[in-house]
Amino acid sequence: MDRFPFPDDLIAAQREWHATYRALAVPRPRHATELRRRLLHLSVRIHWHPFWSTPAGPPAARVELRRMTAGDRRTDAA
């Protein structure tokens, strides 16, 4: 069982953040401006998610969310 009850939309946003970051990290990424904008949008969405205002959202939960969602790293074929 998960230690923190993360909402599905927060998990999805964090996974999408990781995928966008990986796409931006490749040498000479295509559509870099759009990727940067998407990364910024997702960062804001994650940071201001209502979950962090609840008692279940302590600072340790942010670390756990990143750790939990970064584990599904996949190499995208170019």
Side-chain angles (χ1 to χ4, degrees):
M1 174 150 184
D2 290 329
R3 183 174 169 196
F4 300 104
F6 296 115
D8 292 338
D9 64 325
L10 182 57
I11 293 170
Q14 186 68 51
R15 283 188 176 139
E16 194 173 338
W17 187 96
H18 285 294
T20 304
Y21 187 87
R22 285 190 301 274
L24 192 55
V26 300
R28 304 178 92 185
R30 296 184 61 128
H31 310 291
T33 301
E34 289 89 356
L35 288 170
R36 279 192 222 95
R37 287 180 183 153
R38 183 70 184 148
L39 196 62
L40 180 60
H41 171 78
L42 289 165
S43 295
V44 168
R45 203 164 111 197
I46 292 165
H47 181 77
W48 291 106
H49 194 280
F51 174 78
W52 305 121
S53 300
T54 67
R62 291 182 187 268
V63 175
E64 178 62 19
L65 177 66
R66 285 191 297 271
R67 186 202 59 77
M68 182 178 97
T69 57
D72 64 344
R73 293 179 184 173
R74 286 175 244 139
T75 304
D76 297 328

mmCIF file with all atom_site columns, all heavy atoms in Angstrom, residues 30-53:
data_model
loop_
_atom_site.group_PDB
_atom_site.id
_atom_site.type_symbol
_atom_site.label_atom_id
_atom_site.label_alt_id
_atom_site.label_comp_id
_atom_site.label_asym_id
_atom_site.label_entity_id
_atom_site.label_seq_id
_atom_site.pdbx_PDB_ins_code
_atom_site.Cartn_x
_atom_site.Cartn_y
_atom_site.Cartn_z
_atom_site.occupancy
_atom_site.B_iso_or_equiv
_atom_site.pdbx_formal_charge
_atom_site.auth_seq_id
_atom_site.auth_comp_id
_atom_site.auth_asym_id
_atom_site.auth_atom_id
_atom_site.pdbx_PDB_model_num
ATOM 1   N N   . ARG A 1 30 ? 13.647 18.106 -30.750 1.00 0.00 ? 30 ARG A N   1
ATOM 2   C CA  . ARG A 1 30 ? 12.694 18.726 -31.678 1.00 0.00 ? 30 ARG A CA  1
ATOM 3   C C   . ARG A 1 30 ? 11.647 19.465 -30.857 1.00 0.00 ? 30 ARG A C   1
ATOM 4   O O   . ARG A 1 30 ? 11.244 19.003 -29.800 1.00 0.00 ? 30 ARG A O   1
ATOM 5   C CB  . ARG A 1 30 ? 12.018 17.659 -32.528 1.00 0.00 ? 30 ARG A CB  1
ATOM 6   C CG  . ARG A 1 30 ? 13.004 16.931 -33.430 1.00 0.00 ? 30 ARG A CG  1
ATOM 7   C CD  . ARG A 1 30 ? 12.263 15.972 -34.285 1.00 0.00 ? 30 ARG A CD  1
ATOM 8   N NE  . ARG A 1 30 ? 11.323 16.713 -35.106 1.00 0.00 ? 30 ARG A NE  1
ATOM 9   C CZ  . ARG A 1 30 ? 11.225 16.602 -36.422 1.00 0.00 ? 30 ARG A CZ  1
ATOM 10  N NH1 . ARG A 1 30 ? 11.973 15.762 -37.058 1.00 0.00 ? 30 ARG A NH1 1
ATOM 11  N NH2 . ARG A 1 30 ? 10.351 17.314 -37.088 1.00 0.00 ? 30 ARG A NH2 1
ATOM 12  N N   . HIS A 1 31 ? 11.226 20.592 -31.321 1.00 0.00 ? 31 HIS A N   1
ATOM 13  C CA  . HIS A 1 31 ? 10.180 21.388 -30.673 1.00 0.00 ? 31 HIS A CA  1
ATOM 14  C C   . HIS A 1 31 ? 10.570 21.767 -29.242 1.00 0.00 ? 31 HIS A C   1
ATOM 15  O O   . HIS A 1 31 ? 9.764  21.661 -28.307 1.00 0.00 ? 31 HIS A O   1
ATOM 16  C CB  . HIS A 1 31 ? 8.843  20.645 -30.672 1.00 0.00 ? 31 HIS A CB  1
ATOM 17  C CG  . HIS A 1 31 ? 8.464  20.116 -32.017 1.00 0.00 ? 31 HIS A CG  1
ATOM 18  N ND1 . HIS A 1 31 ? 8.106  20.939 -33.054 1.00 0.00 ? 31 HIS A ND1 1
ATOM 19  C CD2 . HIS A 1 31 ? 8.416  18.851 -32.506 1.00 0.00 ? 31 HIS A CD2 1
ATOM 20  C CE1 . HIS A 1 31 ? 7.841  20.206 -34.119 1.00 0.00 ? 31 HIS A CE1 1
ATOM 21  N NE2 . HIS A 1 31 ? 8.025  18.936 -33.817 1.00 0.00 ? 31 HIS A NE2 1
ATOM 22  N N   . ALA A 1 32 ? 11.800 22.209 -29.061 1.00 0.00 ? 32 ALA A N   1
ATOM 23  C CA  . ALA A 1 32 ? 12.321 22.524 -27.728 1.00 0.00 ? 32 ALA A CA  1
ATOM 24  C C   . ALA A 1 32 ? 11.492 23.595 -27.017 1.00 0.00 ? 32 ALA A C   1
ATOM 25  O O   . ALA A 1 32 ? 11.254 23.492 -25.809 1.00 0.00 ? 32 ALA A O   1
ATOM 26  C CB  . ALA A 1 32 ? 13.773 22.961 -27.820 1.00 0.00 ? 32 ALA A CB  1
ATOM 27  N N   . THR A 1 33 ? 11.045 24.597 -27.735 1.00 0.00 ? 33 THR A N   1
ATOM 28  C CA  . THR A 1 33 ? 10.258 25.661 -27.107 1.00 0.00 ? 33 THR A CA  1
ATOM 29  C C   . THR A 1 33 ? 8.954  25.112 -26.546 1.00 0.00 ? 33 THR A C   1
ATOM 30  O O   . THR A 1 33 ? 8.590  25.410 -25.402 1.00 0.00 ? 33 THR A O   1
ATOM 31  C CB  . THR A 1 33 ? 9.968  26.792 -28.115 1.00 0.00 ? 33 THR A CB  1
ATOM 32  O OG1 . THR A 1 33 ? 11.213 27.311 -28.583 1.00 0.00 ? 33 THR A OG1 1
ATOM 33  C CG2 . THR A 1 33 ? 9.164  27.904 -27.473 1.00 0.00 ? 33 THR A CG2 1
ATOM 34  N N   . GLU A 1 34 ? 8.267  24.283 -27.325 1.00 0.00 ? 34 GLU A N   1
ATOM 35  C CA  . GLU A 1 34 ? 7.018  23.691 -26.849 1.00 0.00 ? 34 GLU A CA  1
ATOM 36  C C   . GLU A 1 34 ? 7.266  22.780 -25.647 1.00 0.00 ? 34 GLU A C   1
ATOM 37  O O   . GLU A 1 34 ? 6.479  22.755 -24.706 1.00 0.00 ? 34 GLU A O   1
ATOM 38  C CB  . GLU A 1 34 ? 6.327  22.897 -27.962 1.00 0.00 ? 34 GLU A CB  1
ATOM 39  C CG  . GLU A 1 34 ? 5.744  23.765 -29.054 1.00 0.00 ? 34 GLU A CG  1
ATOM 40  C CD  . GLU A 1 34 ? 6.749  24.048 -30.177 1.00 0.00 ? 34 GLU A CD  1
ATOM 41  O OE1 . GLU A 1 34 ? 7.929  23.623 -30.065 1.00 0.00 ? 34 GLU A OE1 1
ATOM 42  O OE2 . GLU A 1 34 ? 6.364  24.701 -31.141 1.00 0.00 ? 34 GLU A OE2 1
ATOM 43  N N   . LEU A 1 35 ? 8.374  22.035 -25.694 1.00 0.00 ? 35 LEU A N   1
ATOM 44  C CA  . LEU A 1 35 ? 8.704  21.160 -24.568 1.00 0.00 ? 35 LEU A CA  1
ATOM 45  C C   . LEU A 1 35 ? 8.992  21.969 -23.309 1.00 0.00 ? 35 LEU A C   1
ATOM 46  O O   . LEU A 1 35 ? 8.547  21.609 -22.208 1.00 0.00 ? 35 LEU A O   1
ATOM 47  C CB  . LEU A 1 35 ? 9.900  20.278 -24.912 1.00 0.00 ? 35 LEU A CB  1
ATOM 48  C CG  . LEU A 1 35 ? 9.636  19.167 -25.912 1.00 0.00 ? 35 LEU A CG  1
ATOM 49  C CD1 . LEU A 1 35 ? 10.952 18.523 -26.344 1.00 0.00 ? 35 LEU A CD1 1
ATOM 50  C CD2 . LEU A 1 35 ? 8.686  18.129 -25.345 1.00 0.00 ? 35 LEU A CD2 1
ATOM 51  N N   . ARG A 1 36 ? 9.724  23.088 -23.450 1.00 0.00 ? 36 ARG A N   1
ATOM 52  C CA  . ARG A 1 36 ? 9.997  23.930 -22.284 1.00 0.00 ? 36 ARG A CA  1
ATOM 53  C C   . ARG A 1 36 ? 8.711  24.508 -21.701 1.00 0.00 ? 36 ARG A C   1
ATOM 54  O O   . ARG A 1 36 ? 8.530  24.552 -20.488 1.00 0.00 ? 36 ARG A O   1
ATOM 55  C CB  . ARG A 1 36 ? 10.948 25.072 -22.663 1.00 0.00 ? 36 ARG A CB  1
ATOM 56  C CG  . ARG A 1 36 ? 12.379 24.649 -22.705 1.00 0.00 ? 36 ARG A CG  1
ATOM 57  C CD  . ARG A 1 36 ? 13.282 25.890 -22.781 1.00 0.00 ? 36 ARG A CD  1
ATOM 58  N NE  . ARG A 1 36 ? 14.338 25.630 -23.719 1.00 0.00 ? 36 ARG A NE  1
ATOM 59  C CZ  . ARG A 1 36 ? 14.351 25.960 -25.008 1.00 0.00 ? 36 ARG A CZ  1
ATOM 60  N NH1 . ARG A 1 36 ? 13.355 26.636 -25.531 1.00 0.00 ? 36 ARG A NH1 1
ATOM 61  N NH2 . ARG A 1 36 ? 15.365 25.646 -25.773 1.00 0.00 ? 36 ARG A NH2 1
ATOM 62  N N   . ARG A 1 37 ? 7.833  24.954 -22.583 1.00 0.00 ? 37 ARG A N   1
ATOM 63  C CA  . ARG A 1 37 ? 6.544  25.487 -22.118 1.00 0.00 ? 37 ARG A CA  1
ATOM 64  C C   . ARG A 1 37 ? 5.721  24.417 -21.430 1.00 0.00 ? 37 ARG A C   1
ATOM 65  O O   . ARG A 1 37 ? 5.086  24.674 -20.407 1.00 0.00 ? 37 ARG A O   1
ATOM 66  C CB  . ARG A 1 37 ? 5.762  26.069 -23.297 1.00 0.00 ? 37 ARG A CB  1
ATOM 67  C CG  . ARG A 1 37 ? 6.327  27.368 -23.788 1.00 0.00 ? 37 ARG A CG  1
ATOM 68  C CD  . ARG A 1 37 ? 5.541  27.905 -24.951 1.00 0.00 ? 37 ARG A CD  1
ATOM 69  N NE  . ARG A 1 37 ? 6.154  29.127 -25.432 1.00 0.00 ? 37 ARG A NE  1
ATOM 70  C CZ  . ARG A 1 37 ? 6.064  29.560 -26.667 1.00 0.00 ? 37 ARG A CZ  1
ATOM 71  N NH1 . ARG A 1 37 ? 5.372  28.884 -27.567 1.00 0.00 ? 37 ARG A NH1 1
ATOM 72  N NH2 . ARG A 1 37 ? 6.653  30.678 -27.023 1.00 0.00 ? 37 ARG A NH2 1
ATOM 73  N N   . ARG A 1 38 ? 5.725  23.220 -21.982 1.00 0.00 ? 38 ARG A N   1
ATOM 74  C CA  . ARG A 1 38 ? 4.976  22.112 -21.380 1.00 0.00 ? 38 ARG A CA  1
ATOM 75  C C   . ARG A 1 38 ? 5.553  21.770 -20.002 1.00 0.00 ? 38 ARG A C   1
ATOM 76  O O   . ARG A 1 38 ? 4.810  21.535 -19.054 1.00 0.00 ? 38 ARG A O   1
ATOM 77  C CB  . ARG A 1 38 ? 5.031  20.891 -22.308 1.00 0.00 ? 38 ARG A CB  1
ATOM 78  C CG  . ARG A 1 38 ? 4.239  19.727 -21.829 1.00 0.00 ? 38 ARG A CG  1
ATOM 79  C CD  . ARG A 1 38 ? 2.763  20.044 -21.941 1.00 0.00 ? 38 ARG A CD  1
ATOM 80  N NE  . ARG A 1 38 ? 1.991  18.949 -21.381 1.00 0.00 ? 38 ARG A NE  1
ATOM 81  C CZ  . ARG A 1 38 ? 0.838  19.100 -20.782 1.00 0.00 ? 38 ARG A CZ  1
ATOM 82  N NH1 . ARG A 1 38 ? 0.277  20.281 -20.680 1.00 0.00 ? 38 ARG A NH1 1
ATOM 83  N NH2 . ARG A 1 38 ? 0.211  18.086 -20.279 1.00 0.00 ? 38 ARG A NH2 1
ATOM 84  N N   . LEU A 1 39 ? 6.871  21.749 -19.900 1.00 0.00 ? 39 LEU A N   1
ATOM 85  C CA  . LEU A 1 39 ? 7.521  21.460 -18.626 1.00 0.00 ? 39 LEU A CA  1
ATOM 86  C C   . LEU A 1 39 ? 7.165  22.515 -17.579 1.00 0.00 ? 39 LEU A C   1
ATOM 87  O O   . LEU A 1 39 ? 6.858  22.186 -16.431 1.00 0.00 ? 39 LEU A O   1
ATOM 88  C CB  . LEU A 1 39 ? 9.037  21.395 -18.826 1.00 0.00 ? 39 LEU A CB  1
ATOM 89  C CG  . LEU A 1 39 ? 9.843  20.748 -17.725 1.00 0.00 ? 39 LEU A CG  1
ATOM 90  C CD1 . LEU A 1 39 ? 9.471  19.288 -17.540 1.00 0.00 ? 39 LEU A CD1 1
ATOM 91  C CD2 . LEU A 1 39 ? 11.323 20.867 -18.041 1.00 0.00 ? 39 LEU A CD2 1
ATOM 92  N N   . LEU A 1 40 ? 7.154  23.762 -17.971 1.00 0.00 ? 40 LEU A N   1
ATOM 93  C CA  . LEU A 1 40 ? 6.781  24.837 -17.054 1.00 0.00 ? 40 LEU A CA  1
ATOM 94  C C   . LEU A 1 40 ? 5.319  24.702 -16.621 1.00 0.00 ? 40 LEU A C   1
ATOM 95  O O   . LEU A 1 40 ? 4.993  24.808 -15.435 1.00 0.00 ? 40 LEU A O   1
ATOM 96  C CB  . LEU A 1 40 ? 7.019  26.199 -17.703 1.00 0.00 ? 40 LEU A CB  1
ATOM 97  C CG  . LEU A 1 40 ? 6.679  27.416 -16.863 1.00 0.00 ? 40 LEU A CG  1
ATOM 98  C CD1 . LEU A 1 40 ? 7.504  27.421 -15.576 1.00 0.00 ? 40 LEU A CD1 1
ATOM 99  C CD2 . LEU A 1 40 ? 6.929  28.688 -17.644 1.00 0.00 ? 40 LEU A CD2 1
ATOM 100 N N   . HIS A 1 41 ? 4.444  24.431 -17.575 1.00 0.00 ? 41 HIS A N   1
ATOM 101 C CA  . HIS A 1 41 ? 3.017  24.255 -17.266 1.00 0.00 ? 41 HIS A CA  1
ATOM 102 C C   . HIS A 1 41 ? 2.809  23.102 -16.275 1.00 0.00 ? 41 HIS A C   1
ATOM 103 O O   . HIS A 1 41 ? 2.071  23.229 -15.300 1.00 0.00 ? 41 HIS A O   1
ATOM 104 C CB  . HIS A 1 41 ? 2.235  23.996 -18.553 1.00 0.00 ? 41 HIS A CB  1
ATOM 105 C CG  . HIS A 1 41 ? 0.822  23.590 -18.327 1.00 0.00 ? 41 HIS A CG  1
ATOM 106 N ND1 . HIS A 1 41 ? -0.172 24.486 -18.005 1.00 0.00 ? 41 HIS A ND1 1
ATOM 107 C CD2 . HIS A 1 41 ? 0.231  22.377 -18.354 1.00 0.00 ? 41 HIS A CD2 1
ATOM 108 C CE1 . HIS A 1 41 ? -1.304 23.835 -17.845 1.00 0.00 ? 41 HIS A CE1 1
ATOM 109 N NE2 . HIS A 1 41 ? -1.085 22.548 -18.057 1.00 0.00 ? 41 HIS A NE2 1
ATOM 110 N N   . LEU A 1 42 ? 3.459  21.983 -16.530 1.00 0.00 ? 42 LEU A N   1
ATOM 111 C CA  . LEU A 1 42 ? 3.327  20.833 -15.645 1.00 0.00 ? 42 LEU A CA  1
ATOM 112 C C   . LEU A 1 42 ? 3.908  21.121 -14.265 1.00 0.00 ? 42 LEU A C   1
ATOM 113 O O   . LEU A 1 42 ? 3.357  20.699 -13.252 1.00 0.00 ? 42 LEU A O   1
ATOM 114 C CB  . LEU A 1 42 ? 3.998  19.606 -16.263 1.00 0.00 ? 42 LEU A CB  1
ATOM 115 C CG  . LEU A 1 42 ? 3.279  19.011 -17.466 1.00 0.00 ? 42 LEU A CG  1
ATOM 116 C CD1 . LEU A 1 42 ? 4.192  18.047 -18.208 1.00 0.00 ? 42 LEU A CD1 1
ATOM 117 C CD2 . LEU A 1 42 ? 1.981  18.333 -17.043 1.00 0.00 ? 42 LEU A CD2 1
ATOM 118 N N   . SER A 1 43 ? 5.020  21.839 -14.228 1.00 0.00 ? 43 SER A N   1
ATOM 119 C CA  . SER A 1 43 ? 5.630  22.187 -12.940 1.00 0.00 ? 43 SER A CA  1
ATOM 120 C C   . SER A 1 43 ? 4.672  23.013 -12.093 1.00 0.00 ? 43 SER A C   1
ATOM 121 O O   . SER A 1 43 ? 4.525  22.777 -10.888 1.00 0.00 ? 43 SER A O   1
ATOM 122 C CB  . SER A 1 43 ? 6.927  22.974 -13.163 1.00 0.00 ? 43 SER A CB  1
ATOM 123 O OG  . SER A 1 43 ? 7.889  22.178 -13.798 1.00 0.00 ? 43 SER A OG  1
ATOM 124 N N   . VAL A 1 44 ? 4.014  23.970 -12.704 1.00 0.00 ? 44 VAL A N   1
ATOM 125 C CA  . VAL A 1 44 ? 3.049  24.814 -11.991 1.00 0.00 ? 44 VAL A CA  1
ATOM 126 C C   . VAL A 1 44 ? 1.859  23.973 -11.534 1.00 0.00 ? 44 VAL A C   1
ATOM 127 O O   . VAL A 1 44 ? 1.401  24.089 -10.393 1.00 0.00 ? 44 VAL A O   1
ATOM 128 C CB  . VAL A 1 44 ? 2.598  25.995 -12.884 1.00 0.00 ? 44 VAL A CB  1
ATOM 129 C CG1 . VAL A 1 44 ? 1.403  26.716 -12.285 1.00 0.00 ? 44 VAL A CG1 1
ATOM 130 C CG2 . VAL A 1 44 ? 3.754  26.951 -13.107 1.00 0.00 ? 44 VAL A CG2 1
ATOM 131 N N   . ARG A 1 45 ? 1.374  23.126 -12.427 1.00 0.00 ? 45 ARG A N   1
ATOM 132 C CA  . ARG A 1 45 ? 0.230  22.276 -12.090 1.00 0.00 ? 45 ARG A CA  1
ATOM 133 C C   . ARG A 1 45 ? 0.544  21.356 -10.908 1.00 0.00 ? 45 ARG A C   1
ATOM 134 O O   . ARG A 1 45 ? -0.282 21.184 -10.016 1.00 0.00 ? 45 ARG A O   1
ATOM 135 C CB  . ARG A 1 45 ? -0.144 21.441 -13.320 1.00 0.00 ? 45 ARG A CB  1
ATOM 136 C CG  . ARG A 1 45 ? -1.550 20.963 -13.320 1.00 0.00 ? 45 ARG A CG  1
ATOM 137 C CD  . ARG A 1 45 ? -1.937 20.508 -14.702 1.00 0.00 ? 45 ARG A CD  1
ATOM 138 N NE  . ARG A 1 45 ? -2.091 19.068 -14.661 1.00 0.00 ? 45 ARG A NE  1
ATOM 139 C CZ  . ARG A 1 45 ? -2.114 18.300 -15.713 1.00 0.00 ? 45 ARG A CZ  1
ATOM 140 N NH1 . ARG A 1 45 ? -1.961 18.806 -16.914 1.00 0.00 ? 45 ARG A NH1 1
ATOM 141 N NH2 . ARG A 1 45 ? -2.280 17.008 -15.594 1.00 0.00 ? 45 ARG A NH2 1
ATOM 142 N N   . ILE A 1 46 ? 1.732  20.789 -10.896 1.00 0.00 ? 46 ILE A N   1
ATOM 143 C CA  . ILE A 1 46 ? 2.139  19.901 -9.807  1.00 0.00 ? 46 ILE A CA  1
ATOM 144 C C   . ILE A 1 46 ? 2.337  20.690 -8.524  1.00 0.00 ? 46 ILE A C   1
ATOM 145 O O   . ILE A 1 46 ? 1.855  20.307 -7.459  1.00 0.00 ? 46 ILE A O   1
ATOM 146 C CB  . ILE A 1 46 ? 3.415  19.126 -10.193 1.00 0.00 ? 46 ILE A CB  1
ATOM 147 C CG1 . ILE A 1 46 ? 3.112  18.142 -11.317 1.00 0.00 ? 46 ILE A CG1 1
ATOM 148 C CG2 . ILE A 1 46 ? 4.012  18.416 -8.986  1.00 0.00 ? 46 ILE A CG2 1
ATOM 149 C CD1 . ILE A 1 46 ? 4.341  17.596 -12.015 1.00 0.00 ? 46 ILE A CD1 1
ATOM 150 N N   . HIS A 1 47 ? 3.038  21.807 -8.614  1.00 0.00 ? 47 HIS A N   1
ATOM 151 C CA  . HIS A 1 47 ? 3.352  22.594 -7.421  1.00 0.00 ? 47 HIS A CA  1
ATOM 152 C C   . HIS A 1 47 ? 2.101  23.117 -6.716  1.00 0.00 ? 47 HIS A C   1
ATOM 153 O O   . HIS A 1 47 ? 2.035  23.126 -5.493  1.00 0.00 ? 47 HIS A O   1
ATOM 154 C CB  . HIS A 1 47 ? 4.266  23.761 -7.792  1.00 0.00 ? 47 HIS A CB  1
ATOM 155 C CG  . HIS A 1 47 ? 4.649  24.607 -6.619  1.00 0.00 ? 47 HIS A CG  1
ATOM 156 N ND1 . HIS A 1 47 ? 5.602  24.221 -5.719  1.00 0.00 ? 47 HIS A ND1 1
ATOM 157 C CD2 . HIS A 1 47 ? 4.178  25.789 -6.183  1.00 0.00 ? 47 HIS A CD2 1
ATOM 158 C CE1 . HIS A 1 47 ? 5.714  25.145 -4.778  1.00 0.00 ? 47 HIS A CE1 1
ATOM 159 N NE2 . HIS A 1 47 ? 4.855  26.112 -5.043  1.00 0.00 ? 47 HIS A NE2 1
ATOM 160 N N   . TRP A 1 48 ? 1.114  23.550 -7.478  1.00 0.00 ? 48 TRP A N   1
ATOM 161 C CA  . TRP A 1 48 ? -0.079 24.159 -6.886  1.00 0.00 ? 48 TRP A CA  1
ATOM 162 C C   . TRP A 1 48 ? -1.252 23.193 -6.769  1.00 0.00 ? 48 TRP A C   1
ATOM 163 O O   . TRP A 1 48 ? -2.380 23.614 -6.507  1.00 0.00 ? 48 TRP A O   1
ATOM 164 C CB  . TRP A 1 48 ? -0.497 25.391 -7.682  1.00 0.00 ? 48 TRP A CB  1
ATOM 165 C CG  . TRP A 1 48 ? 0.501  26.490 -7.521  1.00 0.00 ? 48 TRP A CG  1
ATOM 166 C CD1 . TRP A 1 48 ? 1.410  26.896 -8.447  1.00 0.00 ? 48 TRP A CD1 1
ATOM 167 C CD2 . TRP A 1 48 ? 0.727  27.291 -6.363  1.00 0.00 ? 48 TRP A CD2 1
ATOM 168 N NE1 . TRP A 1 48 ? 2.180  27.901 -7.927  1.00 0.00 ? 48 TRP A NE1 1
ATOM 169 C CE2 . TRP A 1 48 ? 1.781  28.167 -6.649  1.00 0.00 ? 48 TRP A CE2 1
ATOM 170 C CE3 . TRP A 1 48 ? 0.133  27.346 -5.101  1.00 0.00 ? 48 TRP A CE3 1
ATOM 171 C CZ2 . TRP A 1 48 ? 2.256  29.087 -5.731  1.00 0.00 ? 48 TRP A CZ2 1
ATOM 172 C CZ3 . TRP A 1 48 ? 0.619  28.270 -4.190  1.00 0.00 ? 48 TRP A CZ3 1
ATOM 173 C CH2 . TRP A 1 48 ? 1.658  29.122 -4.502  1.00 0.00 ? 48 TRP A CH2 1
ATOM 174 N N   . HIS A 1 49 ? -1.019 21.911 -6.922  1.00 0.00 ? 49 HIS A N   1
ATOM 175 C CA  . HIS A 1 49 ? -2.099 20.929 -6.814  1.00 0.00 ? 49 HIS A CA  1
ATOM 176 C C   . HIS A 1 49 ? -2.702 20.992 -5.403  1.00 0.00 ? 49 HIS A C   1
ATOM 177 O O   . HIS A 1 49 ? -1.969 21.111 -4.411  1.00 0.00 ? 49 HIS A O   1
ATOM 178 C CB  . HIS A 1 49 ? -1.562 19.528 -7.100  1.00 0.00 ? 49 HIS A CB  1
ATOM 179 C CG  . HIS A 1 49 ? -2.646 18.538 -7.332  1.00 0.00 ? 49 HIS A CG  1
ATOM 180 N ND1 . HIS A 1 49 ? -3.354 17.951 -6.303  1.00 0.00 ? 49 HIS A ND1 1
ATOM 181 C CD2 . HIS A 1 49 ? -3.165 18.035 -8.481  1.00 0.00 ? 49 HIS A CD2 1
ATOM 182 C CE1 . HIS A 1 49 ? -4.251 17.134 -6.801  1.00 0.00 ? 49 HIS A CE1 1
ATOM 183 N NE2 . HIS A 1 49 ? -4.151 17.159 -8.121  1.00 0.00 ? 49 HIS A NE2 1
ATOM 184 N N   . PRO A 1 50 ? -4.022 20.902 -5.296  1.00 0.00 ? 50 PRO A N   1
ATOM 185 C CA  . PRO A 1 50 ? -4.684 20.972 -3.979  1.00 0.00 ? 50 PRO A CA  1
ATOM 186 C C   . PRO A 1 50 ? -4.226 19.897 -2.983  1.00 0.00 ? 50 PRO A C   1
ATOM 187 O O   . PRO A 1 50 ? -4.347 20.085 -1.776  1.00 0.00 ? 50 PRO A O   1
ATOM 188 C CB  . PRO A 1 50 ? -6.170 20.796 -4.310  1.00 0.00 ? 50 PRO A CB  1
ATOM 189 C CG  . PRO A 1 50 ? -6.298 21.118 -5.743  1.00 0.00 ? 50 PRO A CG  1
ATOM 190 C CD  . PRO A 1 50 ? -4.981 20.841 -6.385  1.00 0.00 ? 50 PRO A CD  1
ATOM 191 N N   . PHE A 1 51 ? -3.687 18.803 -3.464  1.00 0.00 ? 51 PHE A N   1
ATOM 192 C CA  . PHE A 1 51 ? -3.218 17.743 -2.564  1.00 0.00 ? 51 PHE A CA  1
ATOM 193 C C   . PHE A 1 51 ? -2.208 18.259 -1.548  1.00 0.00 ? 51 PHE A C   1
ATOM 194 O O   . PHE A 1 51 ? -2.190 17.829 -0.401  1.00 0.00 ? 51 PHE A O   1
ATOM 195 C CB  . PHE A 1 51 ? -2.599 16.587 -3.371  1.00 0.00 ? 51 PHE A CB  1
ATOM 196 C CG  . PHE A 1 51 ? -1.960 15.537 -2.508  1.00 0.00 ? 51 PHE A CG  1
ATOM 197 C CD1 . PHE A 1 51 ? -2.742 14.600 -1.851  1.00 0.00 ? 51 PHE A CD1 1
ATOM 198 C CD2 . PHE A 1 51 ? -0.583 15.482 -2.348  1.00 0.00 ? 51 PHE A CD2 1
ATOM 199 C CE1 . PHE A 1 51 ? -2.157 13.619 -1.063  1.00 0.00 ? 51 PHE A CE1 1
ATOM 200 C CE2 . PHE A 1 51 ? 0.002  14.514 -1.550  1.00 0.00 ? 51 PHE A CE2 1
ATOM 201 C CZ  . PHE A 1 51 ? -0.792 13.584 -0.906  1.00 0.00 ? 51 PHE A CZ  1
ATOM 202 N N   . TRP A 1 52 ? -1.358 19.195 -1.970  1.00 0.00 ? 52 TRP A N   1
ATOM 203 C CA  . TRP A 1 52 ? -0.296 19.683 -1.083  1.00 0.00 ? 52 TRP A CA  1
ATOM 204 C C   . TRP A 1 52 ? -0.850 20.512 0.075   1.00 0.00 ? 52 TRP A C   1
ATOM 205 O O   . TRP A 1 52 ? -0.145 20.740 1.055   1.00 0.00 ? 52 TRP A O   1
ATOM 206 C CB  . TRP A 1 52 ? 0.732  20.491 -1.867  1.00 0.00 ? 52 TRP A CB  1
ATOM 207 C CG  . TRP A 1 52 ? 1.297  19.711 -3.013  1.00 0.00 ? 52 TRP A CG  1
ATOM 208 C CD1 . TRP A 1 52 ? 1.245  20.054 -4.332  1.00 0.00 ? 52 TRP A CD1 1
ATOM 209 C CD2 . TRP A 1 52 ? 1.976  18.452 -2.961  1.00 0.00 ? 52 TRP A CD2 1
ATOM 210 N NE1 . TRP A 1 52 ? 1.848  19.086 -5.095  1.00 0.00 ? 52 TRP A NE1 1
ATOM 211 C CE2 . TRP A 1 52 ? 2.308  18.091 -4.273  1.00 0.00 ? 52 TRP A CE2 1
ATOM 212 C CE3 . TRP A 1 52 ? 2.327  17.579 -1.925  1.00 0.00 ? 52 TRP A CE3 1
ATOM 213 C CZ2 . TRP A 1 52 ? 2.980  16.912 -4.589  1.00 0.00 ? 52 TRP A CZ2 1
ATOM 214 C CZ3 . TRP A 1 52 ? 2.992  16.407 -2.237  1.00 0.00 ? 52 TRP A CZ3 1
ATOM 215 C CH2 . TRP A 1 52 ? 3.312  16.091 -3.559  1.00 0.00 ? 52 TRP A CH2 1
ATOM 216 N N   . SER A 1 53 ? -2.101 20.937 -0.001  1.00 0.00 ? 53 SER A N   1
ATOM 217 C CA  . SER A 1 53 ? -2.731 21.698 1.083   1.00 0.00 ? 53 SER A CA  1
ATOM 218 C C   . SER A 1 53 ? -3.383 20.807 2.131   1.00 0.00 ? 53 SER A C   1
ATOM 219 O O   . SER A 1 53 ? -3.860 21.296 3.145   1.00 0.00 ? 53 SER A O   1
ATOM 220 C CB  . SER A 1 53 ? -3.801 22.636 0.510   1.00 0.00 ? 53 SER A CB  1
ATOM 221 O OG  . SER A 1 53 ? -3.223 23.531 -0.392  1.00 0.00 ? 53 SER A OG  1
#
